[in-house]
Amino acid sequence: MAGMAEHEFPTRRDDTQPYDRALPLGDPGESVRIGALAPLTRPGWVQAGRHLLAGLEAAVRDVNDGGGIAGTPLELVVRDTAADPRRAEAAVEELARLGVTALAGEYHSVVARAAATRADALGLPFLCSSAVLDALTDRPTDRVARLCPPQSRGWQVYADFLLRAGRDRIAVAAEPSLYWASGTRLLQEYVTPRGGSVVELDARALSPAAVCDALADQRVTVLLVLAGLPDPAVPIVRSVRRDRRLDGLMIGAPAGQPEFAEWAALLGPDGAGIPFLRYLPERLTPLGARVEAALREQLTEAPSFVAFEGYDTVALLAEVLRAHGTDRSRIAAAWPRAAADGTRGQIRLSRVPGIDVWQWAGAPVQVVDRDPARPDRLRVLHTG
């Protein structure tokens, strides 16, 4: 990462916990402020939130090393959503009052949907980093844009991978959630016309042993764990791995739980060989390679795709701010002309059929797993 000798700008206004405390902010002209949403405490997926925030902050440092926005420092005002839609709505309202010029971030889809709907109502531009739920808003809007692929695209790629591998008798162990229900529906719509089947199991109502009994009775060829980490995902995976009736059954986790070190730490060898979705290209751009090294040092572990999504969010927002200024309505109007060189390729936004927000249609999609021979290494199994 470049040094900060010339432009010694801070990356965010509030570097201490709690992230959601009120701040005595100074003159808005002192900096260009972006509100940042991320799950930083439980029950949110804290490791994902930490990676997302690391990417956002790394990009802010780079922007400020390059002179900020027309000489004015860029600054994050961070709020912890803790996977709570109501808390996210309150954060959006507070950030709007504090005068942020735009919103960035968020990992959890249901939380991002609440934030996007509220931001749209308040006229606050929101560039969502990581939430894939197709229906990100209640209605079509020009104020909200997104970098990650919509769930319908990513999960179709995943379903295609399963069918190509001959895994067409699918069971899903799912928790009650709009996100998990949407994923199950997408799988059914893609797999059933192609001769496959999808069996639904309630991951909250059934014990791990009962899940195993149902899998054996149904003679399924793959179990998809659509559930939170650590519970009930970890106990389910452990039980399936130890049930000799289920030898040869593939376990999958399309939402990406195995991406993070927490998964490997909790499950060890049992967590390897479980395919999941990741939004990285075959090769990072030269910028991406430099950012990867900086993020690895900052996080003291390999950065996940979520960290790159965070970086690219700020990179695109900075280009919009440089070209069109900080007026909220002008930012929203600039989405169709926005372009930036990101860590994962050239980013441009467009209208995608069936998606009501501006979307990066070219976001990369991979199916990967942890190599059973070396669980610290990820293998690319399929691209789409």
Side-chain angles (χ1 to χ4, degrees):
M1 188 70 67
M4 297 181 65
E6 184 177 355
H7 301 284
E8 202 71 30
F9 298 149
T11 60
R12 72 182 184 215
R13 183 74 67 163
D14 58 326
D15 281 322
T16 58
Q17 294 278 15
Y19 288 100
D20 56 351
R21 65 183 175 89
L23 298 174
L25 297 180
D27 182 353
E30 296 174 356
S31 62
V32 176
R33 293 174 292 174
I34 296 173
L37 304 176
L40 300 170
T41 55
R42 295 287 187 186
W45 198 341
V46 175
Q47 193 167 25
R50 189 168 68 89
H51 280 231
L52 175 59
L53 183 57
L56 294 167
E57 291 182 328
V60 169
R61 285 195 296 271
D62 277 2
V63 169
N64 288 338
D65 283 352
I69 307 300
T72 302
L74 189 62
E75 197 170 1
L76 293 180
V77 184
V78 181
R79 291 295 179 267
D80 172 22
T81 62
D84 185 337
R86 292 185 179 180
R87 184 164 173 170
E89 290 173 339
V92 171
E93 292 172 0
E94 181 199 6
L95 290 166
R97 291 194 304 270
L98 292 174
V100 300
T101 194
L103 289 177
E106 192 46 48
Y107 176 81
H108 294 289
S109 281
V110 176
V111 177
R113 188 177 191 278
T117 299
R118 193 72 195 118
D120 183 37
L122 295 171
L124 185 59
F126 177 29
L127 182 55
C128 182
S129 303
S130 301
V132 301
L133 195 66
D134 280 35
L136 197 57
T137 54
D138 291 329
R139 58 186 177 87
T141 177
D142 288 327
R143 296 188 181 97
V144 180
R146 172 169 54 192
L147 292 190
C148 59
Q151 189 179 20
S152 55
R153 178 173 168 234
W155 286 50
Q156 180 175 312
V157 170
Y158 193 90
D160 188 56
F161 159 74
L162 293 178
L163 294 178
R164 288 170 180 260
R167 305 283 181 165
D168 59 353
R169 294 179 57 83
I170 302 168
V172 298
E175 292 183 279
S177 161
L178 175 63
Y179 173 64
W180 301 124
S182 173
T184 300
R185 175 181 54 79
L186 290 167
L187 290 169
Q188 290 169 333
E189 291 176 351
Y190 190 79
V191 168
T192 304
R194 291 164 175 80
S197 61
V198 178
V199 175
E200 298 183 56
L201 305 175
D202 189 328
R204 282 294 180 193
L206 296 175
S207 68
V211 169
C212 290
D213 289 341
L215 296 174
D217 291 342
Q218 296 285 344
R219 299 183 181 275
V220 299
T221 55
V222 58
L223 167 67
L224 303 185
V225 181
L226 310 187
L229 186 69
D231 294 320
V234 168
I236 290 173
V237 171
R238 284 179 177 151
S239 293
V240 171
R241 291 296 201 207
R242 285 157 176 71
D243 194 318
R244 296 282 70 85
R245 297 173 298 170
L246 303 176
D247 287 347
L249 177 75
M250 176 190 285
I251 305 175
Q257 299 96 316
E259 167 82 6
F260 296 95
E262 181 182 9
W263 176 272
L266 290 169
L267 282 165
D270 285 345
I274 297 179
F276 61 93
L277 284 167
R278 179 174 73 163
Y279 306 124
L280 290 179
E282 182 179 357
R283 291 185 181 83
L284 293 168
T285 66
L287 169 65
R290 178 176 66 79
V291 170
E292 180 182 33
L295 287 171
R296 186 181 292 270
E297 181 178 355
Q298 179 179 347
L299 292 164
T300 65
E301 62 186 15
S304 69
F305 68 87
V306 179
F308 294 103
E309 289 175 330
Y311 188 100
D312 287 344
T313 302
V314 170
L316 184 63
L317 271 176
E319 290 301 321
V320 171
L321 293 168
R322 290 178 181 128
H324 302 281
T326 59
D327 179 79
R328 291 174 178 176
S329 60
R330 292 185 65 185
I331 293 171
W335 292 139
R337 300 185 298 280
D341 292 324
T343 60
R344 298 167 297 149
Q346 172 75 195
I347 303 171
R348 290 186 180 275
L349 302 175
S350 62
R351 286 297 193 187
V352 173
I355 305 299
D356 288 338
V357 302
W358 288 98
Q359 176 72 50
W360 182 23
V365 180
Q366 296 176 332
V367 179
V368 304
D369 72 355
R370 290 187 174 274
D371 187 345
R374 285 186 51 189
D376 61 327
R377 182 176 64 186
L378 298 178
R379 305 181 298 183
V380 178
L381 308 175
H382 184 67
T383 59

